Amino acid sequence: EIVLIQSPATLSLSPGETTTLSCRASQSVSSYLAWYQQRPGQPPRLLIYAASNRAAGIPARFSGSGFGTDFTLTISSLEPEDFAVYYCQHRSNWPYTFGQGTKLEI
Amino acid sequence: QVQLVESGGGVVQPGRSLRLSCGASGFTFSNYAMHWVRQAPGKGLEWVAVISNDGNNKNYVDPVKARFTISRDNSKNTLYLQMNSLRVEDTAVYYCAKDPRGHHTGTLDSWGQGSLVTVSS
């Protein structure tokens, strides 16, 4: 099973700032990595798929990069609604797994 | 617009069974693989199972293998999760989620609101 480690666990930031979240895989997942956002009391929402492709309706301030074992999610000019938990997830092979999440807080 | 609505959750004793349903609308259900993902209270996300669009291919994670069964009825646009021999550690919100392809890709492009299952004596 591929393990995904996200860092940091928590980030304290302010609206308007830019931040980068990290996800590291225990072995290569090629570009088979996605990012999800989960706001309190809500289901997750797909942000990025195939490491760098924004899902439909996702603002351009969200961008993803990486290949193999190291990936990043960058959020530019944080909006109040961006304060949430972010999960990376691989689909390289079964079982698909999620990282433990990074909480973005004000 | 894609809509996924889970139902069937509740409180159940350890060792008992429960069946979750997920009603789908807004898309051609029979064209897409479907997934169940769960989230224990205050914890992260864990995959549970996946089924192909025609129901012929299924995968389960080890903790639920031989206890849970994923199935679908394409004539009713409904996904199911039969959960047997439930354990306290199965307590979670269970989400159904849609795959963008018929044979699962592992990308979850739409999610339901979830159904809470509590296993407790």
Side-chain angles (χ1 to χ4, degrees):
Chain A
E1 175 175 309
I2 295 175
V3 177
L4 300 177
I5 303 296
Q6 292 186 239
S7 60
T10 305
L11 264 177
S12 297
L13 294 166
S14 300
E17 292 191 274
T18 293
T19 188
T20 299
L21 284 60
S22 175
C23 177
R24 176 164 289 179
S26 59
Q27 63 189 78
S28 176
V29 298
S30 185
S31 61
Y32 298 131
L33 191 105
W35 291 92
Y36 298 82
Q37 176 194 66
Q38 187 176 31
R39 294 169 177 153
Q42 294 294 313
R45 175 175 71 144
L46 178 65
L47 296 176
I48 301 288
Y49 64 94
S52 61
N53 296 274
R54 271 190 306 278
I58 301 303
R61 64 179 182 274
F62 291 92
S63 63
S65 65
F67 183 88
T69 61
D70 290 296
F71 300 86
T72 58
L73 173 70
T74 299
I75 313 172
S76 304
S77 299
L78 284 163
E79 298 284 344
E81 62 267 27
D82 298 337
F83 291 90
V85 180
Y86 292 83
Y87 295 95
C88 60
Q89 171 250 318
H90 87 85
R91 62 177 190 89
S92 176
N93 53 30
W94 187 260
Y96 308 141
T97 57
F98 293 91
Q100 84 281 14
T102 290
K103 183 179 181 180
L104 205 52
E105 62 180 25
I106 296 178
Chain B
Q1 182 173 345
V2 173
Q3 190 167 12
L4 300 169
V5 180
E6 301 92 340
S7 60
V11 180
V12 62
Q13 292 179 326
R16 304 299 290 265
S17 299
L18 205 60
R19 188 178 82 158
L20 301 181
S21 300
C22 172
S25 60
F27 65 104
T28 304
F29 181 70
S30 60
N31 285 353
Y32 299 95
M34 296 294 295
H35 304 254
W36 287 102
V37 174
R38 67 185 179 182
Q39 186 170 36
K43 301 298 184 183
L45 300 165
E46 180 186 29
W47 231 285
V48 175
V50 57
I51 186 169
S52 60
N53 64 316
D54 59 7
N56 289 334
N57 289 286
K58 305 174 185 180
N59 286 96
Y60 302 89
V61 292
D62 283 348
V64 309
K65 230 175 250 186
R67 298 189 298 123
F68 289 12
T69 301
I70 189 172
S71 63
R72 63 192 296 160
D73 186 336
N74 286 344
S75 68
K76 295 182 178 179
N77 291 342
T78 303
L79 175 72
Y80 302 101
L81 185 67
Q82 177 66 43
M83 303 183 291
N84 298 333
S85 302
L86 281 160
R87 304 168 180 168
V88 171
E89 55 265 33
D90 295 320
T91 295
V93 174
Y94 285 74
Y95 295 102
C96 68
K98 173 185 163 292
D99 197 289
R101 297 282 187 271
H103 186 74
H104 64 89
T105 65
T107 298
L108 305 175
D109 63 5
S110 296
W111 296 64
Q113 289 295 314
S115 183
L116 177 61
V117 173
T118 303
V119 185
S120 173
S121 54

